[in-house]
Amino acid sequence: MRNETLRQVRRWHLYVGMFFAPMLLLFAVSGAFQTFRLNEPKGWGGRPPQVLVWIGAIHRDQTPPDPVEVEQQAAKYAASLRAGGGPKASHTAVLIMKLFVVLVSLGMAVSIVLGMIIAFASRVTRRPAAMAFAAGAALPFVLILAQT
């Protein structure tokens, strides 16, 4: 590949990577939480923090959570606990796979952050990287607000 072509490919890789970095980070982190269902009452062991409920809903449904559905899930879980139906033990192989998925999520998040550091380290790419990152962070918020 010629030097100029390779330079163009690297530049486009920077723009695309920085544009998608905010959502990729969200998906990596929320995927790790969702692996153990920490965004749900049965995974949290009660009512999960609202931020985990929101992040999980955006990841899973691409919409904000429905407050009625969240309350119904919490009530259903509380009723199952009263009836003696607490959390079930996981098989070792399932647990190992879940831990591996969390490690993959963390590895993905670290890789994204390292790429962002590299993009912001160069004076030449700092401004376009910041603009692509800002656009990639703003667009999902605009789309979510448009749904409410």
Side-chain angles (χ1 to χ4, degrees):
M1 202 177 286
R2 295 181 330 167
N3 284 343
E4 184 57 35
T5 304
L6 192 54
R7 219 174 277 127
Q8 285 291 98
V9 168
R10 278 195 298 259
R11 185 174 300 130
W12 279 103
H13 178 263
L14 169 87
Y15 299 149
V16 170
M18 290 302 288
F19 180 79
F20 289 112
M23 287 305 291
L24 288 172
L25 276 173
L26 176 93
F27 290 146
V29 172
S30 65
F33 289 131
Q34 289 183 78
T35 300
F36 288 100
R37 300 193 185 277
L38 296 178
N39 60 318
E40 299 174 10
K42 65 182 174 184
W44 188 261
R47 186 178 309 278
Q50 194 64 24
V51 67
L52 292 183
V53 173
W54 261 83
I55 290 173
I58 297 300
H59 185 142
R60 186 183 59 244
D61 304 321
Q62 296 78 51
T63 62
D66 178 9
V68 174
E69 184 181 322
V70 172
E71 287 301 318
Q72 288 173 345
Q73 282 182 350
K76 183 178 174 183
Y77 180 72
S80 76
L81 285 181
R82 286 191 298 275
K88 295 177 177 49
S90 284
H91 291 75
T92 303
V94 172
L95 179 61
I96 290 171
M97 184 61 183
K98 286 182 177 188
L99 291 172
F100 178 70
V101 168
V102 169
L103 281 175
V104 169
S105 296
L106 292 175
M108 187 170 142
V110 168
S111 179
I112 293 165
V113 170
L114 290 174
M116 291 168 53
I117 290 170
I118 292 168
F120 286 126
S122 169
R123 280 184 164 191
V124 175
T125 60
R126 192 172 297 148
R127 183 179 303 244
M131 290 170 52
F133 184 82
L139 182 61
F141 282 110
V142 170
L143 294 174
I144 290 167
L145 289 175
Q147 295 177 25
T148 57

